[in-house]
Amino acid sequence: MRRLLLAAVPLAILFGAAACGDGADEDPGVEPTATVFATPTTGSNEQPQVPDTPVAQPTPIPDHLPIIQVAFAGKLYAPLRSEFLALPKEKITVGGKTYEGVSLATLGEKAGARAGAIATINGTRMDNLRLGAVRFTLTEIGASTVFVMDDTGRITLASSTIPTDQWLKDITGIGLN
């Protein structure tokens, strides 16, 4: 057994040396190079850019489910499609185009909100790339902001006081506080 072990040791040393290399193919006059990774300069706030991809289009909302939720002081007003369509409509004109829908003031009133309440409206940005939210007081935008429902039950915000680049579509909820 010892003879086998003594014969195996030189073979193990030979294989180990072959695996490590003998350094004969390296040029002794050349310094090894290190891989350098680019790092932001000190004090830079650059963030990695993630490509935008469109948000998936929601499915139509069934008639037996609420199409929007308006919350105020622990109370929830969540009308069905037929109830939303029965609410009084207001017309606003922005950029020569007229929009007709239920005003934020009407929805706030149905939820029992006070006039100075802060409204936070959640939905998808109009470019369909990110979720968004807008926040104003009911006094500022209540009468000039309408919610327009399409044939599938999706709701889009239109306003003569909120800048058009902040408008939202596929509104999911309104929080009032």
Side-chain angles (χ1 to χ4, degrees):
M1 188 65 154
R2 280 188 177 171
R3 287 185 189 173
L4 282 175
L5 186 58
L6 288 176
V9 169
L11 283 175
I13 293 172
L14 178 66
F15 286 130
C20 293
D22 61 358
D25 57 345
E26 295 178 10
D27 187 357
V30 177
E31 291 287 324
T33 59
T35 304
V36 178
F37 295 99
T39 57
T41 59
T42 305
S44 172
N45 286 330
E46 271 188 56
Q47 296 293 315
Q49 297 298 315
V50 178
D52 284 329
T53 55
V55 176
Q57 188 74 298
T59 57
I61 299 171
D63 290 334
H64 67 281
L65 294 177
I67 59 163
I68 193 168
Q69 295 183 7
V70 184
F72 175 70
K75 296 180 218 164
L76 184 65
Y77 174 64
L80 302 175
R81 183 188 313 238
S82 58
E83 295 167 332
F84 186 85
L85 289 172
L87 293 172
K89 306 291 186 285
E90 302 290 331
K91 287 184 182 181
I92 63 166
T93 302
V94 180
K97 186 172 180 184
T98 300
Y99 299 90
E100 183 177 14
V102 177
S103 72
L104 177 59
T106 299
L107 291 173
E109 182 182 314
K110 287 289 190 179
R114 55 184 166 66
I118 297 172
T120 303
I121 305 164
N122 299 302
T124 304
R125 291 186 340 192
M126 294 302 273
D127 63 7
N128 205 39
L129 296 175
R130 299 220 190 288
L131 299 177
V134 293
R135 180 176 289 158
F136 293 92
T137 65
L138 272 177
T139 306
E140 292 174 300
I141 66 168
S144 60
T145 301
V146 296
F147 296 93
V148 182
M149 185 174 61
D150 68 10
D151 295 337
T152 64
R154 294 188 196 109
I155 298 178
T156 301
L157 174 149
S159 178
S160 59
T161 52
I162 299 174
T164 56
D165 62 340
Q166 293 181 27
W167 288 13
L168 301 172
K169 66 179 196 156
D170 302 326
I171 304 297
T172 55
I174 301 169
L176 301 165
N177 45 343

